[in-house]
Amino acid sequence: MSLEADLRRAVRGEVRFDAGSRALYATDASNYRQVPIGVVLPWDLDDILATVEVCRQHGAPLLGRGAGTSLAGQACNVAVVLDFSRHLNRILEVDPERRIARVEPGVVLDDLRRAAGKHGLTFGPDPATHAWCTLGGMIGNNSCGAHSLTTGRTSDNVEELDVLTYGGLRLRVGATSGEEIDRIVRAGGRRGEIYGGLRSLRDRCAGLIRERFPPIPRRVSGYNLDELLPEKGFHVARTLAGTEGTCVTFLEATVRLVPAPRSRVLLVLGYPDIFSAADHVMEILEAGPIGLEGMDRFLVENDFTRHSYREVLASLPSGGAWLLVELESVETARRLAARLPDALVIEDPAGQAAVWSVREAAVGTTSRDPRLGDAWPGWEDAAVPPSRLSAYLREFKALLGRFGYGAALYGHFGEGCLHARINFDLATSEGVKRYRAFLEEAADLVASHGGSLSGEHGDGQGRAELLPRMFGEELCQAFRELKSLWDPDGRMNPGKVVDPLPLDSDLRLRTPLPDTAFARDVLRCVGVGRCRREGGGVMCPSWQVTQEEKHSTRGRSRLLFEMLSGEVIADGWQSKEVHEALDLCLSCKGCKSDCPAGVDMAAYKAEFLHHHYQGRRRPVQAYTLGLVHRWVRLASLTPGLANLLGRTVTVKRLAGIDPRRTVPSFARRTFRSWFARHPGREDGPRVLLWPDTFTNHFQPEIGVAAVRVLERAGFRVEIPPPGLCCGRPLYDFGMLDLARRQLREIVDALPRGVPMVGLEPSCVAVFRDEMRQIFPDGPEMLTLAELLGKTPPLPSPAAQEREPPPVLVQAHCHHHAVMGLGADRRLLEQLGIEARFLEGCCGMAGAFGFEPGHYEVSMACAERALLPAIRSAAPNTIVLADGFSCREQIAQATGRRALHLAELLSEG
């Protein structure tokens, strides 16, 4: 029997050896790519035991994996990948008395923090990926984070581990007294052999460990041999933490919880440059901060950060670099601020979160910067004693200059850990040769300062080859001996940490790709995994519902990469694996704004479908829903008949519409016909109102309301000539040639210099996104809130005799992603309206929710935030939704009629 067949027979969970699944797991967030043998998503503990047994019978390498965000290549290998994140994600126990928690390896950190928070506790280490990283991955990598300054590394917070060796031995390990070691060794067997070997290793190497292990807070490189020392309690669990899956498989972890800070205040300090910021680290540490981060101006001056965090950036103190100092005491923060120039004290939790979000997005935002070109990990997180940070930083900057590299610099300054995405050339032989030379010199530089090659992300394949420069050959031999005690066959994540593969082999950029703009766009994904978070923002609604890697933005990017390379997915644009993964992409554009690397999966999907269906017949809904702008013109001639036919199941099926959906009703009179009879005002500045297909044919009352609001604001309203359409639905079905022709018609027909306002956010987004890419000098379009924000204020409902009712706002995804919601927030605030803005996609997403096979996902998206919020809202709450698809989802799921902003203002 084959390995795959034996696994399918033994495992209840998913066993996936298909090309698509192997492609999804071929890389992590590092520079490396190794296509796995297959993937197993174990359902429970028995599945893990069975998988390891079958792999042992076949001699197959094994790799345990969490969220797959490792930066040194330790989460990809030519092995059977065990993905714990899908099913093995239960919090088994939270004991507030003992301040411990028991978790399965796939538990997401923020889930544990929320559970512990109910008891005033938290898990201390909190890397920037806290919303999606798993505890198993954190233990494997010995993760740290912004608050390890006071709580330590993950290994420092591990009490016990339930582990399984490749040989099939299951052990519960933790701190071990001398008497217990003696008892275990006397009992013999495989367990006694391991403990006896560990004790012998400790006794022989204790002096060398004390001498060569740098006594710094961020020593993550190498194996934790120091945890075997008597003064550390012969802590076997903490020795295994940080072994990156090369020794055992983690089945369960008992971790320590610590009291959550009762209050937090953020002090932001501005400095002329990153070096002067580092000069003040030791002084600030005397104040006892719970977090001390640094970042330079280069980090925030990129297109993504400027677009997504412009209000935050405007509030920062002046300077070329900043220290973010988090304290528990407001008084301490104010005292420090008084002593130092350019200081900002932020007490508001929302304001603090906004600043931290800029820092947490750094891995992605520094990866794609026009000033650097593409930047990559490789020398990502070296750490030195905090007292040496300033000197190291200056020498490191000089080293970058000698090699002609550039980088944004940031990191955990309070612990001497420096992050840097560097514009390495990893695609050419000469570039890779220079990359190796730089890493060797950088390793020597860190060692000369008594530092660690890795201060957070581990060694993997990216730094393991350099470990002798830090530890010496004798200690590296001790690492080999420790691995062989646990994994004598060398089958656990081979080639990482110990006996590593060369650091310049398996580089994914050496995989040949066509030299096209599309290929370069696909490379934008750096694998940081923010699309795997389960809440906040818009990205990625289909992942949040299915929890399938192939439905994450990252997963789809990986599949497109492998499709272009042609090695694993060999059928190119006709790939059924890629088509299946993209089918549940809602084209919401959430990734365009929420992904720190700026991945735009909606655009990639449109491009793929464009090629996929060239010379082939498309699904019927492409011709009905995609060409809706044509069909509605015919239907509007006899709207009553069209509405009658649209209610029948037969017509829905013929049109490619899910029969459970209600076809929107055509209005008896279009907006254009109303406007033709409207006298309008003859004075005031001109404004062009765009009568989109949905407003014109389905809800003309919104257009009427917009005209009244604009005229009340003093504008003379005009509309463009008939027959023009931005073609928004065409992109969803990859009809790019037709979409471009329609944009060309708009460019040729519309006047310049007249402000134009759109009512449908998806149409406005076409003008602000697709139009800009194809016709940079094409006409511009504003939202209603943006236009009104530039005019004298409208009469406020709050100034009238009655109290304005509460308002619940469901923002269209394209509005969120392309235009942003700042103008709407400001306008509602100006009108005295307290509005609650919901986060997340409505699930209808244009044509998506109407198409066959999408109904369940569409409704599940809506149930995540939108529908529960509406059901629990007070009866007098106004639901505001500018998007036609959002209003349809709300109406069809709740019976509530949502208003457009124009209607709210018109009735105000």
Side-chain angles (χ1 to χ4, degrees), residues 275-276 278-280 384-395:
F275 309 115
S276 53
D279 290 339
H280 282 81
V384 297
S387 61
R388 301 291 304 163
L389 177 62
S390 178
Y392 166 70
L393 189 52
R394 286 176 166 85
E395 292 181 55

Side-chain angles (χ1 to χ4, degrees), residues 165-318:
T165 69
Y166 188 81
L169 176 67
R170 183 176 177 184
L171 296 170
R172 182 169 287 275
V173 298
T176 322
S177 67
E179 294 79 8
E180 188 176 359
I181 298 171
D182 292 339
R183 181 180 57 79
I184 293 171
V185 173
R186 282 197 304 270
R190 183 75 181 98
R191 186 186 185 203
E193 179 185 344
I194 291 172
Y195 272 75
L198 292 174
R199 182 173 62 181
S200 173
L201 178 63
R202 178 203 64 185
D203 292 344
R204 286 184 284 109
C205 298
L208 197 59
I209 293 169
R210 295 186 180 104
E211 175 189 341
R212 294 301 301 268
F213 269 56
I216 61 175
R218 284 296 187 102
R219 198 278 307 154
V220 172
S221 278
Y223 289 157
N224 295 333
L225 297 181
D226 55 329
E227 295 291 350
L228 296 175
L229 296 174
E231 59 265 33
K232 293 291 189 75
F234 201 85
H235 208 303
V236 179
R238 294 180 182 175
T239 303
L240 289 171
T243 53
E244 302 178 16
T246 61
C247 292
V248 297
T249 298
F250 301 141
L251 305 178
E252 180 189 307
T254 301
V255 296
R256 184 176 68 191
L257 303 176
V258 297
R262 295 179 181 177
S263 63
R264 300 177 192 264
V265 59
L266 183 62
L267 173 63
V268 184
L269 302 173
Y271 294 90
D273 53 50
I274 197 73
F275 309 115
S276 53
D279 290 339
H280 282 81
V281 163
M282 297 308 294
E283 176 186 353
I284 293 170
L285 284 175
E286 294 176 2
I290 58 176
L292 175 51
E293 305 286 292
M295 60 184 186
D296 68 3
R297 178 167 286 281
F298 198 93
L299 171 71
V300 302
E301 287 188 338
N302 58 71
D303 292 341
F304 176 86
T305 308
R306 283 174 171 169
H307 172 74
S308 299
Y309 302 112
R310 50 186 175 270
E311 294 180 3
V312 178
L313 300 184
S315 70
L316 295 178
S318 60

Side-chain angles (χ1 to χ4, degrees), residues 790-804:
K790 300 178 179 180
T791 64
L794 294 167
S796 169
Q800 300 176 8
E801 293 297 323
R802 58 190 176 89
E803 185 76 18

